[in-house]
Amino acid sequence: MSAPNKKFGFTLFEIIVAMGVFSMAISIILSAMLSMTDAQRKAITLQSAEDNLRFAIEALSREMRTGHGYDCNVTGTPNNCSQGAPRMAFVSAKGVGVIYRWNGIDYAIEKSVDNGITYYPITSTDIKIEMLRFYIFGAGGVGTDGVGEQPRVLISIRATAQDLKSKTQSQFNIQTTIAQRELDS
Amino acid sequence: MPKENPKKLLCGKPDKCRSSKTEMPYFNSNFKISCSRGFSLLETLVALAILNAAMLGPITLAYNSIRSASLSHNTAIAAFLAEEAVELVRVKRDANIYQAKNWLDSLNVCVAGSPCLADATVDLGTAIQPCAGTCLVKYQYDAFTNSGFYQHQAGDNTVFSRQILVEELTADKEAKITVTVSWKERFLPLTSRVEIEEHIFNWH
């Protein structure tokens, strides 16, 4: 038995094979971890964007419910709007004229309390509002079929929550109806 | 070297195993696997178990977060749809009183076993009626006008179905509305649901 053979260690071949196996395992684990982080980030972005939109609709619908004089122009007189419009004006419970509208350039929902002179966004830039439409039925206490009913607004929203870093996005459609609480007729 | 040497059992000196060409400690009759190099089944299992435990945590975490993101997404839509049905029932009650009908006209048919659907896109006269079958909600998007509706007539089937039940608690005074929006979540075994209960009164 020669002297080097008695030394306990690894041969070059063993090292290369071990490193090969190791790097393969690490690359698999790393890619799995990366895609997991990506999915995680997507989930977080989506949730915060959805929270934002939910809050905006909640605030908007509360104000509409307690207000009156639903109109989808900006004149402030009750108006049926069965074809829908991207804006809506009404008088809030405080007696203030409020306008909500869709901004198709910034893709945001905007609000104005000074008769449309200035608008400010109520949704964040994380969420892209692709469509916002208000459909008004029964304005002034008369339904489209000519019989007495309370005014109601159908709000239809299509939004995309986007995450610029991972380029992932998720689209969702929301619809709700709001009935005026104050009796009209 | 005598075969009874206890050191051999422990395999304490690996170089001894390597160098001994004559004794073949691998096939020692006293202790068969004493000096075999490589991993035993037990060692492999333990190693795999540790690896599993380390990987399982993060994977479960990510899986749960994706699942709850999908659940919260659908719950948000379902909550707004349920709210819509409650509002429609309320408007219908008001219209009934305006038109001097029974205050629960076309609402009192929405009883257990025959739930109603609510369609916000049509005239109030036909908006609430018993639904045959599952009360499935459909969605139709019109790219030309950039508008879309959840309703019951046309479009693609959604995962949601919406049922309205009306129960008159006190005759001519109080009724309980129960709106249930249910859907099958992709990663959950059971049906998810949003249920809203509201009490309406005959204000006439």
Side-chain angles (χ1 to χ4, degrees):
Chain A
M1 196 65 50
S2 57
N5 260 1
K6 287 218 164 184
K7 281 192 181 165
F8 194 63
F10 301 110
T11 64
L12 180 64
F13 182 70
E14 278 171 341
I15 293 271
I16 289 172
V17 168
M19 277 173 68
V21 170
F22 180 76
S23 61
M24 244 164 63
I26 285 291
S27 66
I28 290 170
I29 290 171
L30 262 186
S31 66
M33 285 300 260
L34 278 178
S35 64
M36 257 158 33
T37 324
D38 201 46
Q40 183 84 12
R41 189 190 311 135
K42 183 186 177 189
I44 291 170
T45 315
L46 287 189
Q47 286 202 342
S48 86
E50 279 174 28
D51 276 349
N52 183 270
L53 181 66
R54 208 159 48 225
F55 179 74
I57 303 174
E58 209 57 60
L60 175 153
S61 57
R62 197 194 126 270
E63 201 168 14
M64 276 184 193
R65 207 171 268 144
T66 53
H68 64 274
Y70 296 170
D71 174 29
C72 65
N73 294 310
V74 284
T75 55
T77 48
N79 222 332
N80 269 332
C81 198
S82 58
Q83 292 307 305
R87 83 195 78 81
M88 167 155 172
F90 60 96
V91 181
S92 77
K94 288 179 182 170
V96 179
V98 179
I99 305 171
Y100 282 103
R101 75 163 186 193
W102 176 58
N103 183 332
I105 298 161
D106 296 337
Y107 294 105
I109 302 178
E110 292 185 334
K111 181 183 178 180
S112 168
V113 288
D114 53 6
N115 296 315
I117 298 165
T118 51
Y119 285 91
Y120 55 90
I122 59 167
T123 50
S124 88
T125 48
D126 280 347
I127 193 147
K128 185 179 171 191
I129 310 291
E130 291 176 347
M131 179 254 285
L132 167 70
R133 285 182 91 82
F134 299 100
Y135 298 81
I136 302 172
F137 303 92
V142 181
T144 44
D145 49 358
V147 291
E149 63 179 61
Q150 276 292 97
R152 65 188 156 102
V153 189
L154 191 163
I155 305 174
S156 180
I157 296 173
R158 167 174 280 225
T160 304
Q162 51 192 352
D163 182 18
L164 295 174
K165 275 185 186 166
S166 62
K167 294 196 176 88
T168 50
Q169 55 179 36
S170 138
Q171 190 181 59
F172 54 114
N173 304 304
I174 284 179
Q175 176 183 318
T176 196
T177 290
I178 290 153
Q180 181 183 303
R181 291 295 186 267
E182 192 179 311
L183 292 176
D184 246 21
S185 44
Chain B
M1 199 177 280
K3 280 189 176 179
E4 294 79 30
N5 190 349
K7 273 184 184 173
K8 210 183 274 175
L9 295 175
L10 298 169
C11 198
K13 293 179 178 172
D15 54 338
K16 205 164 267 177
C17 298
R18 277 193 161 186
S19 60
S20 56
K21 283 177 180 170
T22 48
E23 280 191 29
M24 298 288 285
Y26 302 91
F27 306 106
N28 189 314
S29 58
N30 287 341
F31 195 73
K32 279 175 185 166
I33 53 165
S34 63
C35 278
S36 63
R37 297 165 75 215
F39 302 109
S40 71
L41 181 63
L42 187 71
E43 283 168 337
T44 316
L45 284 180
V46 168
L48 278 177
I50 292 172
L51 194 73
N52 257 358
M55 290 297 288
L56 213 65
I59 288 177
T60 317
L61 216 66
Y63 171 73
N64 275 343
S65 91
I66 294 164
R67 193 176 66 180
S68 59
S70 161
L71 182 65
S72 81
H73 177 104
N74 283 334
T75 308
I77 298 171
F80 284 115
L81 284 176
E83 214 170 298
E84 175 178 79
V86 172
E87 295 286 290
L88 279 170
V89 170
R90 186 179 272 278
V91 172
K92 184 70 185 166
R93 173 210 55 188
D94 294 341
N96 282 338
I97 295 173
Y98 285 156
Q99 296 161 26
K101 292 179 182 168
N102 175 10
W103 78 293
L104 287 181
D105 182 66
S106 71
L107 291 174
N108 49 18
V109 293
C110 311
V111 290
S114 150
C116 288
L117 55 81
D119 198 327
T121 61
V122 298
D123 281 342
L124 197 57
T126 52
I128 297 169
Q129 49 181 294
C131 49
T134 55
C135 311
L136 189 75
V137 179
K138 292 176 177 172
Y139 185 81
Q140 190 170 40
Y141 178 71
D142 183 350
F144 182 67
T145 55
N146 189 22
S147 58
F149 293 115
Y150 285 102
Q151 30 70 30
H152 294 273
Q153 298 129 29
D156 302 327
N157 289 348
T158 62
V159 289
F160 304 105
S161 55
R162 179 171 62 182
Q163 299 191 340
I164 302 170
L165 294 174
V166 178
E167 186 191 346
E168 193 164 13
L169 297 176
T170 312
D172 265 342
K173 280 202 177 82
E174 182 186 1
K176 183 176 88 176
I177 317 163
T178 314
V179 177
T180 312
V181 176
S182 53
W183 71 99
K184 177 76 188 69
E185 193 63 42
R186 214 181 315 161
F187 302 113
L188 288 178
L190 296 171
T191 306
S192 308
R193 59 175 62 218
V194 167
E195 198 170 300
I196 295 185
E197 188 182 308
E198 172 125 327
H199 289 245
I200 55 169
F201 297 89
N202 184 358
W203 51 263
H204 181 40

